[in-house]
Amino acid sequence: MKKVIFLLFLSVLSFSAIAQKGKKGKKLADFTITQNKTLKAKGTQLVLKQVISDARCPIGVSCVWSGEAQVLVSVYQNKKWIDEEIITFSPKKVEENKVWLAKTLAIPIAKIKAIRLVPYPKDSIKINPKDYCIKVEIAK
């Protein structure tokens, strides 16, 4: 019985180590999508092209609803533009955004913990458009 439990424990550990790796054995890590135009020579790259609107409820304000923000993201493959997507950040669009990101970057959807537009608005503080970025949290 002890051997069976030990083997089961080893199997779980092995599976966890394998599950933490993406394609080609690379570990997935948190990343940021910015407005920089620097692109890697190979692979898929996402660039935050424009913040279309940011109507999220600012910190320090009482709102009837949480609001939403929309951004335009450009998709490049091997430095060549292939697509643009408008992403809406709202509680209703969380899963839709995860599905799009997983499909676009060919990563498991289960690994995507969160996609957030930062900085979050604060009462009476204007955000410089150049300060926006998209933070993607990946489960480890």
Side-chain angles (χ1 to χ4, degrees), residues 12 20-21 36 49 61 63 71 83 96 109-110 125:
V12 170
Q20 289 181 2
K21 295 183 178 184
N36 293 336
K49 187 170 182 181
V61 175
C63 299
V71 298
D83 196 14
E96 183 179 316
I109 191 169
I125 298 175

Side-chain angles (χ1 to χ4, degrees), residues 5 15-16 22 35 37 40 44 53 65 69 74 76 122 132:
I5 293 173
F15 179 73
S16 296
Q35 298 176 43
K37 297 294 181 186
K40 289 190 231 173
T44 303
S53 66
W65 68 297
S74 293
Y76 294 84
K122 294 179 184 172
Y132 281 103

